Amino acid sequence: MTTSETAAVGDPTVVVHHRLHAEFAGPGWLRRILGPRAGLELDAAGLRVRFGPWLVETPLSNLAGAEATGPYRAFRVFGVRLSLADRGLTFGTTTRGGVCLRFREPVRGIDPQGWIRHPGLTVTVSEPELVAEAITRIVAAS
């Protein structure tokens, strides 16, 4: 199930709620693993991306940019993945595409203690272009 909801909260902040793509999963098992709150939220309080037990959150002032990317190869997208090249993090559920988020200061994500910090996060949301556009507007206004 893929859902999204968008509402203006004043210029230039946008509220964006996206569930992660789950079309490759059998009936309901992926949603049970990821939990009911899996997805991306962007609002005046900041950015929160939840993928099962993993959570990446940061204030809007730490967003440096975003772009829609993909499609991806299956062996490089499904699940949680850490890039050894740049420490970027991926939360992936589909090969269709997603959004690559860049941060001014690296953020916590893959480990609960925060020993590894991530300069970017790729997440497969239902409307990556919408998320990238919203973040681009926020970055331009800051």
Side-chain angles (χ1 to χ4, degrees):
M1 178 169 79
T2 304
T3 62
S4 66
E5 176 182 326
T6 307
V9 181
D11 201 58
T13 304
V14 174
V15 176
V16 180
H17 299 277
H18 285 280
R19 296 274 180 227
L20 299 176
H21 272 291
E23 73 251 357
F24 78 93
W29 74 265
L30 179 64
R31 284 186 292 282
R32 285 193 300 274
I33 290 171
L34 295 178
R37 297 185 337 188
L40 180 146
E41 293 182 348
L42 177 66
D43 56 29
L47 170 77
R48 289 163 308 287
V49 183
R50 186 175 299 277
F51 190 86
W54 292 275
L55 173 66
V56 171
E57 55 187 343
T58 194
L60 296 179
S61 61
N62 194 37
L63 296 173
E67 62 185 3
T69 59
Y72 310 122
R73 294 183 181 144
F75 66 89
R76 297 190 70 189
V77 70
F78 296 121
V80 175
R81 183 175 160 281
L82 174 67
S83 168
L84 298 178
D86 67 358
R87 296 180 333 276
L89 184 60
T90 297
F91 293 162
T93 59
T94 183
T95 58
R96 284 188 184 172
V99 62
C100 179
L101 311 169
R102 294 181 313 282
F103 308 112
R104 296 180 195 281
E105 295 293 324
V107 299
R108 302 171 82 146
I110 200 163
D111 69 292
Q113 292 78 22
W115 294 332
I116 300 172
R117 299 283 177 142
H118 311 287
L121 170 66
T122 299
V123 60
T124 55
V125 293
S126 58
E127 296 179 75
E129 294 84 10
L130 178 65
V131 175
E133 179 184 317
I135 291 174
T136 299
R137 287 179 48 211
I138 289 167
V139 170
S142 61

